[in-house]
Every structure is written in structure tokens, then in C-alpha cells.
Amino acid sequence: MKAKKEDNVVIFGMENSQKLAQEIGKYLNKEILPVKTTVFADGECLLKSETTVRNKDVYIICNTSKPVNDNIMSLLILIDSLRRSSAKSINCVMTYYGYARQDRKASGRDPISAALVAKMYETAGADKIITIDLHNASIQGFFNIPVDDLRGQFIFSNELLNRKEKLVIVSPDHGGAVRARQLSELLNNEEQIAIIDKRRTGPNKCEIMGVLGDVKDKNVLIYDDIIDTGGTIIHAAEALKANGAKNIIIAATHGLFSKGFEMFENNAMIDEVIITNSIDHSHLSNFKKLRELSLAQFLSMVINANIESKSITEVYNAYGKRKQ
Ligand code: R5P
């Protein structure tokens, strides 16, 4: 009997992506294989599969969020071990790409760390990267292997199309305007988008210069790729309030929340914060304003399309709801 393509597929989940990996495994009806991790006295680590991967198409569900350097190193070591164990292909489903924001020389003598880590994944032996809402889509060009930079707007539009309230989609900076426009289009919004005129004044620091667009008496949704310290998006919310916005919802694909979630929970201006599970937020489950949307169904459809050599456009069409 001819083996099905999916029979040749094995899936691993890095420790910090276990929850999402298990969900994806359920959709694909596949067991998530264990990774054996050994940590030596000096902090070095060794990661390997407990079963053979010879000639297998391997998928690793991973994210390189905090602690970024440790998570990158663990992933590199696992990729190296799989390559040396004769895996046929190594596909990293990297739901958050650490160092994505160091994507250019913004000032003299800056490193381009997003390019450096891209080279490291490739050198270790990755054959493909599947990721979602890269901070800058040009990061795809730092790789010589294929990169699927998936559009997270579909995750949010599916959620927002279930709701009645009309929202003006706001980008918290000029760089996110296209992303905001795409979400607005998926929602069939008649409203114009708005853009915050933001100036970066240092690492994790910014200054708001003004709001472009009409938000007076409107309910707004500020849509960003990353919430890190929360500074950008809270400043954006303040500027929108000052310009007459009514209810404010915050949405971002990657919720790092490096300074905790209290600043959102205790902020009367903010009604809700919607994020995806690109990063595990189990430790924040007690917060009432936090709403987490799962990537599991979408990513399992993408993995399946990859196995079956189908187009990602077909996945978007099948996954994305339409306004009734
Ligand atoms: C920057 O350009 C990104 O798109 C985010 O706006 C930024 O990383 C958010 O960082 P923070 O929450 O620390 O302001």
C-alpha cells in the first residue's frame, strides 16, 4: 500500500510552545513527539528526538520570545540534531521571531540581528520557516530558504466579524498602516483607517506627534504586530482619547507584555486587549481584559497545505470568514 504523505510527517513542540503544539496536534490528528532535553552543570543544553526521524518531514512548533537568546540556542541545537539524524526536511513553525525588530541599520554601527539569526537557522539546517506577522516582511529576504510570512489579520477578522460594533482600525505607527488597511478591508469597513504619527526616541521609547484620520466619537481598534512594554500602544490610546475616540480595543499578534498586564487591566481607557497565542500566556489567564485567539486551526491548515503541496491562498479563503 502506498504511504500517505502525512504518514511521513513528525511534529515536535519546543517547551515554550507545548500548549499550542498540542492543540495543533489535535487538529492534525498527530502525536507531538517528545524532545529530550539535557542541561549540563555549566548551562549548556542538548536537545534531541527520542525516536528516529530518518527520512521524515519534520515540523517544529516554536517561538523565540523571552528568554530570546536561550530559546534561539535551544532551537538551533534541536535543528542541528535533526539534520544529523537524517531528517528529510526540517520546517520551523516559528510563531514569534525574536530579533525581528533589529531589521536594519536604524543608526550608525547598529547590527542587523534579524539577518544574523536567519543565517543561524539556515546554517543549523532549517529547510523552511513558517511564521506569522513578521515585524518587517523584508526579513523573508534574509533567508535563502522559503519563508511563509502568514497574515494574522484573518485571525482577528474572524473574531471581529462576530461582533456588532463598528470599529475604526488604527495603526499605532506609519509602518503598520498596510496591516491596518488589510484588516479594515477584511472587515468590509466603510470607515477610513487612522494612523498615529509616532517618533521613536530610543529603545522601547516613543513620542506621539499626532493622529492622522477621524476618530472623533468612533469606537477604535488599535492594531499592532507586537506589544512589548506596552508603551507604544498605551500612548496611542491616550492620543486617540484626546482626539475624541469612544471605546478603545487593543489588538496585536504577539503579546510579549514585558512589563506585565496590569497597565492594561487597570487602565480605564482600554476596554479589551486581543492577542494570539503565538506566545504562551497561561500565566496571564486571570486578567479579565485579555482575550487570546488561538492560531492552532489556522496553522494546522497551513501545515496541511504544506504537506499536500497546496497554496496558502486556498487556506486564507477557507479559513477567513466573510461578512454576512
Ligand atoms: C514597533 O515598531 C512595533 O511594531 C511595536 O509597536 C513595538 O515593538 C511595541 O513595543 P512597546 O510595546 O515596547 O512599545
Side-chain angles (χ1 to χ4, degrees):
M1 204 174 75
K2 210 174 148 204
K4 284 194 273 174
K5 285 185 200 163
E6 64 187 55
D7 292 342
N8 204 45
V9 170
V10 294
I11 311 182
F12 295 96
M14 297 303 281
E15 203 183 333
N16 65 347
S17 291
Q18 264 307 310
K19 204 167 157 221
L20 176 61
Q22 295 298 335
E23 268 189 71
I24 291 175
K26 281 198 188 115
Y27 276 108
L28 292 173
N29 207 13
K30 280 259 171 211
E31 189 193 346
I32 303 300
L33 297 186
V35 176
K36 186 164 191 287
T37 305
T38 310
V39 181
F40 296 92
D42 65 349
E44 285 180 5
C45 63
L46 187 162
L47 290 91
K48 62 191 267 191
S49 168
E50 289 194 320
T51 49
T52 181
V53 292
R54 188 170 296 275
N55 274 326
K56 298 286 184 193
D57 291 311
V58 176
Y59 287 79
I60 310 172
I61 316 297
C62 55
N63 80 81
T64 55
S65 62
K66 199 172 165 186
V68 181
N69 297 345
D70 284 350
N71 285 327
I72 289 177
M73 199 61 208
S74 299
L75 179 60
L76 289 168
I77 290 173
L78 181 63
I79 297 171
D80 184 76
S81 80
L82 294 167
R83 179 172 60 86
R84 292 177 195 280
S85 311
S86 304
K88 186 170 162 212
S89 69
I90 302 171
N91 306 275
C92 298
V93 182
M94 192 181 294
T95 52
Y96 176 73
Y97 187 100
Y99 284 110
R101 286 172 289 177
Q102 292 185 33
D103 57 357
R104 68 199 188 290
K105 287 181 74 163
S107 61
R109 300 177 299 282
D110 276 354
I112 305 184
S113 309
L116 173 66
V117 292
K119 285 194 199 110
M120 287 157 66
Y121 297 129
E122 242 181 283
T123 305
D127 292 291
K128 176 161 192 166
I129 306 288
I130 297 172
T131 187
I132 184 157
D133 284 342
L134 275 175
H135 175 63
N136 177 350
S138 314
I139 292 172
Q140 294 165 85
F142 295 159
F143 288 89
N144 285 315
I145 53 173
V147 178
D148 282 337
D149 175 22
L150 304 168
R151 284 163 55 180
Q153 288 92 334
F154 288 87
I155 313 291
F156 292 94
S157 62
N158 275 9
E159 163 70 18
L160 296 169
L161 283 169
N162 291 330
R163 302 181 179 200
K164 293 224 163 54
E165 63 181 325
K166 282 194 169 180
L167 295 164
V168 173
I169 308 299
V170 182
S171 171
D173 53 30
H174 295 277
V178 172
R179 197 178 293 121
R181 157 71 48 222
Q182 286 168 342
L183 177 59
S184 189
E185 280 171 7
L186 284 175
L187 298 174
N188 290 335
N189 257 355
E190 299 102 37
E191 305 279 1
Q192 295 287 318
I193 63 163
I195 300 170
I196 306 280
D197 187 14
K198 173 185 104 173
R199 198 167 61 124
R200 248 218 192 279
T201 47
N204 288 120
K205 289 204 180 85
C206 69
E207 194 183 323
I208 304 286
M209 313 303 285
V211 176
L212 311 175
D214 179 16
V215 294
K216 188 158 174 16
D217 297 326
K218 316 262 180 180
N219 295 326
V220 297
L221 178 137
I222 317 172
Y223 184 43
D224 208 350
D225 58 333
I226 301 171
I227 299 175
D228 185 353
T229 62
T232 300
I233 219 142
I234 297 256
H235 281 128
E238 284 164 358
L240 292 168
K241 257 297 174 230
N243 279 263
K246 287 204 302 196
N247 299 341
I248 299 182
I249 298 178
I250 282 173
T253 313
H254 311 291
L256 299 177
F257 302 121
S258 302
K259 292 205 170 160
F261 192 76
E262 287 76 4
M263 69 173 78
F264 298 101
E265 189 79 359
N266 304 330
N267 191 324
M269 240 173 15
I270 293 159
D271 289 338
E272 187 182 6
V273 179
I274 313 176
I275 37 128
T276 76
N277 58 351
S278 68
I279 295 161
D280 192 324
H281 302 106
S282 307
H283 61 295
L284 301 178
S285 60
N286 288 337
F287 290 104
K288 293 196 179 59
K289 287 190 185 171
L290 187 64
R291 167 117 176 80
E292 189 185 76
L293 308 178
S294 180
L295 296 171
Q297 186 188 9
F298 178 58
L299 289 179
S300 51
M301 289 167 80
V302 168
I303 293 171
N304 208 41
N306 210 49
I307 298 168
E308 298 293 334
S309 313
K310 289 193 177 143
S311 131
I312 300 297
T313 307
E314 284 177 40
V315 174
Y316 288 141
N317 290 338
Y319 181 83
K321 286 185 193 158
R322 294 285 170 267
K323 197 163 195 166
Q324 301 302 314

